[in-house]
Amino acid sequence: VVEGGAGGDGVRLALAQADLVLDGILGIGGRGGLRGDAARLAALLREGRKAGVVVAVDLPSGVDPDTGETPGDAVVADHTVTFGGLKPALVIDPAAAASGTLHVVDIGLGPYLPEPAMTVLDDAEVSALLPDPGRESDKYSRGVVGVLAGSGQFPGAAVLAVGGALHGGAGMVRYAGPGAVATEVRQRWPEAIAGPSPDAVGRVQAWTIGSGLGDGRGDDVGAVLTAGLPVLVDADGLRWLPDRFTGPALLTPHAGELARLLDVERPVVEARRLHHARLAAQRWNAVVLLKGSTTVVAAPDGRVRVNPTGTSALAAAGTGDVLAGLAGSLLAGGLSPLEAGSVAAYAHGLAGQRAAAGTGYPSAGDVLAALPAVLRSLRGPVP
């Protein structure tokens, strides 16, 4: 105990000189953020310490353990040693950003824990979910995905989305878009079939729509949304959502887009990512993949998956188009919207990491180029 209270010079000096600070102020029963002396201690840790390592016991004090929210002041740790299993606060921002490096310690709680409120996939689980065509498969049985993306203003979005779709396991990609954009798509991806509109490209088993559409093509979007097929809706396509989906649907907004959909401010969404992803999933009866540093994939029935492979390497224009194409291809390959979204986010994050290892600051094209090797490593040998 240091004299002078939590804001005194003695405490400030002790924290500044400490080699190790253990945070055990609150546990998983804490709610509402830190207050009083505890809040002042957390502030001193952030502002005054020089070299010491802060280790949180189970989770940083002040974060909400069940939601990933930080409703008040909280400790920011360098490492968190948690027991029994991950807590939502450790994998969902903004609380996850306060957790530092995670260390999970098994203390034998497995048989006594309830069903998890959410799941975090690993390599083996993603590998098991990836489509696995047999030797007798053909391009149609592997799935045909339609891509409605790109415009004269954003032709690259179409190229990137089609590229993501081609690598996602579907046997065929059909692109619907303006002639000039279709020409660019065919030049980059000669294996893709292109036509001017959804009804001109032939039959598909799922659609990915919205990336780079700009202000136009509402009629085409409407035709796809009423076709009754599994559909991924990204970016500009989110402007034309129905009141509720009656078929399989996957929405892929970033925080700003979800804020517009829910008529709130972006910081409100970012402060309560899990809450707003769940709210939108129930509102539109669709799986919602809320993109960001900790991507949340929420289903209308309450199931949630949180992606563990997020990286700042994906903070580049066009990477979301790659994700949209990849996830749409997985939908066409037979995965449910929850599976397609969570598997695509996982592989997309690994591709971002691989691209960053090779180039430092990767572009969307670098991420797309890294995707085949990532999927190969996850999927294993092809029969």
Side-chain angles (χ1 to χ4, degrees), residues 66-352:
D66 297 327
T67 66
E69 298 169 18
T70 52
D73 217 331
V75 170
V76 177
D78 298 302
H79 296 265
T80 295
V81 180
T82 195
F83 309 106
L86 289 172
K87 285 74 178 174
L90 303 179
V91 293
I92 300 175
D93 278 340
S99 303
T101 303
L102 299 180
H103 310 269
V104 182
V105 179
D106 184 0
I107 56 173
L109 293 178
Y112 310 101
L113 295 175
E115 286 296 312
M118 60 194 63
T119 55
V120 178
L121 298 182
D122 59 22
D123 281 6
E125 290 165 323
V126 170
S127 177
L129 288 170
L130 281 169
D132 188 21
R135 294 178 60 188
E136 74 288 352
S137 297
D138 59 34
K139 59 190 175 186
Y140 300 108
S141 64
R142 283 180 56 187
V144 181
V145 60
V147 177
L148 177 63
S151 60
Q153 185 179 7
F154 305 111
V159 174
L160 291 167
V162 169
L166 285 167
H167 292 312
M172 183 183 296
V173 177
R174 299 182 184 268
Y175 171 73
V181 182
T183 297
E184 290 196 37
V185 168
R186 282 192 294 261
Q187 287 175 342
R188 180 64 180 86
W189 308 109
E191 60 268 53
I193 295 171
S197 64
D199 61 2
V201 299
R203 296 182 64 181
V204 303
Q205 285 141 309
W207 280 97
T208 180
I209 67 174
S211 302
L213 283 184
D215 296 327
R217 312 200 52 201
D219 290 343
D220 286 340
V221 171
V224 169
L225 292 179
T226 57
L229 294 170
V231 61
L232 178 147
V233 188
D234 183 44
D236 295 321
L238 296 166
R239 304 179 187 184
W240 290 285
L241 295 183
D243 289 338
R244 283 178 68 80
F245 284 92
T246 57
L250 172 61
L251 314 182
T252 57
H254 56 57
E257 291 164 339
L258 187 58
R260 288 193 292 273
L261 287 173
L262 296 174
D263 195 24
V264 297
E265 296 297 319
R266 179 171 185 153
V268 174
V269 171
E270 291 175 333
R272 305 185 69 193
R273 294 178 58 81
L274 176 61
H275 168 79
H276 288 97
R278 280 178 159 162
L279 183 65
Q282 294 170 358
R283 163 69 179 80
W284 279 280
N285 192 38
V287 172
V288 173
L289 185 158
L290 177 55
K291 293 181 284 194
S293 54
T294 52
T295 292
V296 174
V297 189
D301 63 7
R303 288 177 296 164
V304 174
R305 285 181 177 157
V306 182
N307 181 53
T309 65
T311 167
S312 61
L314 297 175
T319 57
D321 306 333
V322 177
L323 174 66
L326 171 61
S329 187
L330 292 169
L331 280 176
L335 271 64
S336 71
L338 180 64
E339 291 170 343
S342 51
V343 168
Y346 192 96
H348 188 241
L350 291 181

Side-chain angles (χ1 to χ4, degrees), residues 30-58:
R31 296 292 187 277
L34 297 177
R35 295 176 290 275
D37 280 351
R40 286 186 282 275
L41 280 171
L44 284 176
L45 275 177
R46 291 195 306 272
E47 298 164 8
R49 67 186 182 87
K50 295 179 180 178
V53 175
V54 178
V55 177
V57 179
D58 216 16

